[in-house]
Amino acid sequence: MKKVLLILADQWRADALGALGGPLGTLAHTPSIDALMARGVTFTNHHTVTIPCGPSRASLLTGLYAMTHRSVVNGTPLDARFTTLPQAALSAGVEPLLVGYTTTTPDPRTTSAVDPRFDRSGTVMPGFLPIAPFHAGQESYLAFLASREHTIPDPVEDLWAPNPAWVPPQGRTLAAAPSQIPAAEGDNAFYTTAAIDALRVRQDRNWLMMLAYFRPHPPFIAPEPWHELVDPQTVPLPPACGPMDHPLAAHLQKTVTQESFIRHGEGLAVDLSEAAVRDIRATYLGMVAELDHQIGRLMAHIEATGELDHTLIVFSSDHGELLGEHGLFGKYAWWENSYRVPLVIVDPRRKGAAGRRVDAYTESVDVMPTILEWLGADPIPLDGRSLGPFLDGGTPAQWRDGVMLEFDLRDLKSADGGAAGALGLAPNRTGAAVWRDAQNTYVRFAGLPTVLHTADDPDEHKNRAGDPAIARLERDLAGRLLDHRITHAERTLTGYQAGPGGLAKNSPSW
């Protein structure tokens, strides 16, 4: 049998795993994911190749960089010509199931301009059979709440406002308030139950299930008892950060609001008190623990049905979370914890891989070729490569020594053009490409100043003008970034060539 379970969290940063230890890990209650780590391989230097949700999921589910698929912000359509993971699964005789969401906007050339899906920032990726779709408004979950006699407020986001009956204890803030929805009726529980129910009737079928949770995405609020699981006083504060002088960083510090992360928050994120920052970080860890508990329910079902021994399990997240770093929350710009995410793969054929950790740089585009290899699907041109050799205890030949990351600032739905408008960027000069390796982070913008910081001098806003050594390093990193982009330029048909004797074809590089 061919079975794949792809569990994708939203906004789960890489260091929020108990088995990894570290400042946050030691406070993270994640026994279910820790158990997966003990059974499989953990990739400790894994990065999504782009942010935010929609572009990241487009890369994960096509195996392509954003520079290729060009679905660069939430709501940007995904070109219908690219083969998606669910479509490739169908071609391999596997039923692709979706519980949750993909944040995909359809190609407008394949439908009408009045298609109601364009009223959303994302819907279901073509090829998936939606079991309990999230969409942009969580209609499946809201219908469930209504069936349980919950009143759906207007605006619906007030479902995630603090419980009005909660009174903050001494030293706590509203940022630590519990949810008004009990854990048994929360969205994590709802989507987990939907996944379990879908698998109950598919034990004798080939399937690929993507279970895409909305948590620990903001608003940062957890149900009882998870909201009080971690004592805020034990949570380390992020490194101190004053005003930043890069135009984008300065813009973010002046515009990112508390309301984006705490329902009914007031003011800017950068102005949150230390107590509020600790409370949010503790609440985030509570949300992580609650989701881990629900994943444990699913894993118990798979084990009880005997499917654990023939199911490839992949756990990851679409992007990370800054948790107060640089005075910000969310996933922004070029900062490490916006991109660095967990990746755990359990391959039941590789029992000897249990508990292994891989520190090599891996990218979200590597997930699709790894899954297709497990399914025995025909290879297709992708930017990622299968992680199979790592699962076998080796290293693939000519493996990367850094990662390329991307983001884009365009905003066609905002009246003022959002960050791109505020920074005076022309419509197609809104993108940025990042090269990150063990020593350096180099950020090249189309329309803003370059950013460079190094492991031995991490101040990324320091004025280094006139430093010959820095100038040489910038040229070298710019060259590496350019080489990488040239190597991975779109190549769907570049592996073919006509001429005498007919059509020549080479095998796609995995």
Side-chain angles (χ1 to χ4, degrees), residues 250-273:
H251 171 78
L252 291 171
Q253 285 191 326
K254 294 174 184 176
T255 57
V256 174
T257 63
Q258 297 177 27
E259 172 72 11
S260 302
F261 308 98
I262 312 166
R263 191 68 184 148
H264 303 317
E266 297 180 356
L268 296 175
V270 73
D271 293 329
L272 282 163
S273 67

Side-chain angles (χ1 to χ4, degrees), residues 238-239 241-242 244 253 270 322 324-328 335-336 460-461:
C241 179
M244 294 184 283
Q253 285 191 326
V270 73
L322 292 173
E325 294 167 7
H326 313 287
L328 300 171
W335 295 305
E336 171 81 348
E460 58 201 79
H461 307 293

Side-chain angles (χ1 to χ4, degrees), residues 197-503:
D197 288 345
L199 296 183
R200 290 186 196 278
V201 295
R202 288 177 167 83
Q203 291 187 36
D204 297 326
R205 301 191 211 171
N206 295 326
W207 51 260
L208 178 152
M209 175 181 281
M210 177 169 161
L211 173 53
Y213 290 104
F214 186 50
R215 306 298 169 194
H217 189 285
F220 294 131
I221 192 162
E224 295 180 331
W226 307 101
H227 82 104
E228 59 185 13
L229 182 67
V230 178
D231 180 357
Q233 295 306 311
T234 67
V235 180
L237 287 168
C241 179
M244 294 184 283
D245 60 8
H246 188 275
L248 175 57
H251 171 78
L252 291 171
Q253 285 191 326
K254 294 174 184 176
T255 57
V256 174
T257 63
Q258 297 177 27
E259 172 72 11
S260 302
F261 308 98
I262 312 166
R263 191 68 184 148
H264 303 317
E266 297 180 356
L268 296 175
V270 73
D271 293 329
L272 282 163
S273 67
E274 285 192 1
V277 171
R278 288 187 191 275
D279 278 347
I280 293 174
R281 288 164 73 90
T283 295
Y284 178 86
L285 291 171
M287 296 172 72
V288 161
E290 195 249 338
L291 178 51
D292 180 88
H293 171 73
Q294 295 298 333
I295 293 172
R297 284 182 56 214
L298 175 61
M299 297 312 304
H301 169 79
I302 291 176
E303 188 164 14
T305 56
E307 296 193 308
L308 197 60
D309 287 337
H310 45 266
T311 302
L312 180 73
I313 300 171
V314 180
F315 167 73
S316 193
S317 181
D318 59 350
H319 51 71
E321 161 60 46
L322 292 173
L323 280 185
E325 294 167 7
H326 313 287
L328 300 171
F329 292 82
K331 59 280 182 183
Y332 293 109
W334 57 87
W335 295 305
E336 171 81 348
N337 283 314
S338 294
Y339 293 86
R340 195 168 184 175
V341 294
L343 178 63
V344 182
I345 300 178
V346 182
D347 184 338
R349 301 171 305 182
R350 294 164 159 122
K351 303 290 187 183
R356 183 176 296 143
R357 297 187 184 181
V358 173
D359 297 328
Y361 281 103
T362 58
E363 298 177 337
S364 54
V365 291
D366 300 327
V367 171
M368 180 169 168
T370 304
I371 291 174
L372 294 186
E373 185 179 73
W374 162 268
L375 294 177
D378 292 333
I380 54 178
L382 301 173
D383 289 326
R385 297 172 62 188
S386 172
L387 300 174
F390 287 118
L391 301 178
D392 287 327
T395 301
Q398 297 180 322
W399 192 253
R400 65 178 75 94
D401 59 359
V403 290
M404 185 183 76
L405 317 172
E406 298 174 277
F407 62 95
D408 200 291
L409 300 175
R410 72 188 70 205
D411 186 351
L412 305 183
K413 300 297 288 184
S414 173
D416 61 3
L423 297 171
L425 297 175
N428 285 313
R429 292 181 61 77
T430 55
V434 181
W435 176 262
R436 174 170 289 132
D437 57 33
Q439 296 298 318
N440 310 290
T441 297
Y442 174 76
V443 191
R444 185 64 178 246
F445 292 87
L448 294 173
T450 295
V451 171
L452 170 66
H453 62 100
T454 62
D456 57 353
D457 189 7
D459 183 357
E460 58 201 79
H461 307 293
K462 182 177 178 180
N463 185 352
R464 296 183 173 89
D467 185 333
I470 292 298
R472 286 193 298 273
L473 179 58
E474 282 202 12
R475 286 195 297 271
D476 176 64
L477 294 172
R480 296 183 71 180
L481 183 59
L482 180 59
D483 286 349
H484 196 82
R485 291 176 69 86
I486 291 172
T487 301
H488 291 274
E490 209 283 318
R491 58 191 186 281
T492 302
L493 297 177
T494 58
Y496 298 86
Q497 186 173 359
L503 191 65

